[in-house]
Amino acid sequence: MAELRTLGPESWREFVTAEGTAVLVIGKNDCDACNTWGEELARFLAEDQEFSGVRFGKIDLKQRGLIDFKKENTWLAELDVLPYNVIYRDGQIVKQFAGGGVERLTNRLRNL
């Protein structure tokens, strides 16, 4: 089973650049949709067996110390909708989508 890790200034870079597949959920702690999606995803991961080889992490854009994350990901300034999901493979972005939904996420992971 995978778990949804909370990432911070010290851990985000290693998470997104490591080998394999990673899902990064980007949100803000005062965003109801972000909190709902995080809870839904955590519940799903607690039971899931199919995606045990995928890393899952979330990052709160309101967290202090993320200046490097924001500088290196200039596309963040263009985001209009949160939560936002980014799927990485071997350190490269391969899929991105706004909103939540386990089915939407699992379909994208299966189609990689």
Side-chain angles (χ1 to χ4, degrees):
M1 285 183 275
E3 68 176 81
L4 182 59
R5 289 183 42 205
T6 299
L7 304 172
E10 304 83 26
S11 57
W12 71 267
R13 184 176 281 110
E14 179 183 343
F15 179 86
V16 301
T17 60
E19 278 188 32
T21 303
V23 175
L24 177 64
V25 178
I26 300 168
K28 293 182 179 179
N29 62 10
D30 60 354
C31 164
D32 289 339
C34 301
N35 293 328
T36 299
W37 172 223
E39 292 166 7
E40 179 184 353
L41 182 56
R43 280 192 307 274
F44 168 75
L45 293 176
E47 303 289 326
D48 177 67
Q49 299 294 320
E50 181 179 358
F51 300 104
S52 60
V54 176
R55 295 181 319 281
F56 293 86
K58 65 180 180 175
I59 198 161
D60 177 0
L61 292 176
K62 290 195 161 205
Q63 182 179 11
R64 292 178 179 254
L66 292 175
I67 191 72
D68 288 341
F69 178 74
K70 293 174 181 177
K71 281 183 179 178
E72 292 181 32
N73 296 284
T74 55
W75 50 266
L76 288 166
E78 309 287 323
L79 294 184
D80 292 333
V81 177
L82 292 176
Y84 196 77
N85 306 277
V86 183
I87 303 174
Y88 294 85
R89 177 165 279 163
D90 298 329
Q92 301 298 313
I93 295 173
V94 293
K95 299 266 184 201
Q96 302 177 62
F97 66 100
V102 168
E103 186 175 341
R104 294 176 68 212
L105 174 62
T106 56
N107 286 339
R108 284 167 173 82
L109 288 170
R110 288 182 187 119
N111 288 324
L112 288 179

